[in-house]
Amino acid sequence: MVTIKPSERLSFRLMDDTDADLLFELDQDPAVMEHINEGKPTSRTEINEVFIPRMMQYRNPDKGWGLWQVNTLEDGVYIGWILVRPMHFFSEMRDENDIELGWRFMQKSWGKGYASEAAKAVMSALHQQVGYQTFSAVAVPGNTSSIRMMEKLGMIYQKTAIHKDPLGDMEAVFYSVTLN
């Protein structure tokens, strides 16, 4: 089972189907949801009937896949999550050698470097414990904060293309990095 040791300011735990309250809380801020669905808060029904079952499809503790809850070490407060799963997981092009990273953080934690600190800790643990070398991320072209984050992680722009997903296809920028 993959474990992610605390970073300088953060701790990590693999989320599961008992974490609906935390997922719901995060998705209630229109600013958090702006680049996901134009700012519409996620309903409790969507969390329970779509988000949780979807997360459980790719959750695999032995491979480190799932949503990694991120808490501050100072006070143990939940501030968001880092997604880990194979690229194109919900398509015929699923690639277990290319690990998709994603993130969603509470607005109160923005601008403090938490997201990049968390993503770096997750990447490092997965590289060391499982041997993953290629990490990728996608974002809508207007999500400049996520694009800056990808660049902070050492990711390089690959292409702009349609990102296929059962919840809806969208134009996205694709970034990736290969670690040695």
Side-chain angles (χ1 to χ4, degrees):
M1 185 167 138
V2 172
T3 56
I4 300 176
K5 293 181 180 139
S7 62
E8 182 181 338
R9 302 177 294 163
L10 306 170
S11 66
F12 307 91
R13 179 186 67 82
L14 193 59
M15 299 178 89
D16 60 31
D17 56 0
T18 65
D19 288 309
D21 289 344
L22 296 175
L23 297 169
F24 178 75
E25 177 189 354
L26 178 59
D27 283 11
Q28 296 314 292
D29 184 342
V32 169
M33 302 304 289
E34 178 183 355
H35 296 290
I36 298 159
N37 63 14
E38 299 175 344
K40 180 179 167 262
T42 307
S43 72
R44 182 60 112 163
T45 300
E46 288 171 303
I47 292 289
N48 293 337
E49 295 179 7
V50 178
F51 200 90
I52 296 274
R54 184 177 161 96
M55 174 186 69
M56 296 306 289
Q57 280 184 277
Y58 57 80
R59 186 181 187 277
N60 184 325
D62 292 332
K63 295 182 179 185
W65 304 348
L67 294 182
W68 287 91
Q69 177 181 331
V70 181
N71 294 328
T72 57
L73 277 177
E74 182 180 349
D75 52 16
V77 171
Y78 167 68
I79 58 171
W81 49 252
I82 299 288
L83 170 137
V84 176
R85 67 179 174 214
M87 274 299 284
H88 312 294
F89 184 84
F90 292 105
S91 77
E92 304 80 46
M93 300 179 342
R94 178 171 154 175
D95 184 353
E96 293 190 14
N97 295 312
D98 185 358
I99 299 303
E100 178 183 3
L101 298 179
W103 39 84
R104 195 173 299 172
F105 281 79
M106 300 274 188
Q107 190 175 174
K108 67 185 178 192
S109 71
W110 293 358
K112 298 178 180 174
Y114 288 141
S116 56
E117 180 179 330
K120 286 175 184 174
V122 168
M123 280 174 61
S124 178
L126 292 169
H127 181 62
Q128 292 170 7
Q129 294 176 43
V130 189
Y132 295 124
Q133 292 185 299
T134 303
F135 295 89
S136 296
V138 298
V140 295
N143 190 345
T144 55
S145 295
S146 278
I147 292 168
R148 274 196 311 277
M149 167 106 160
M150 294 174 205
E151 292 168 346
K152 283 182 189 175
L153 297 174
M155 294 182 179
I156 307 289
Y157 172 80
Q158 301 298 314
K159 65 183 177 180
T160 300
I162 300 299
H163 177 42
K164 301 265 186 203
D165 190 284
L167 296 181
D169 299 345
M170 64 175 186
E171 183 181 44
V173 292
F174 289 73
Y175 278 68
S176 70
V177 62
T178 300
L179 307 176
N180 293 325

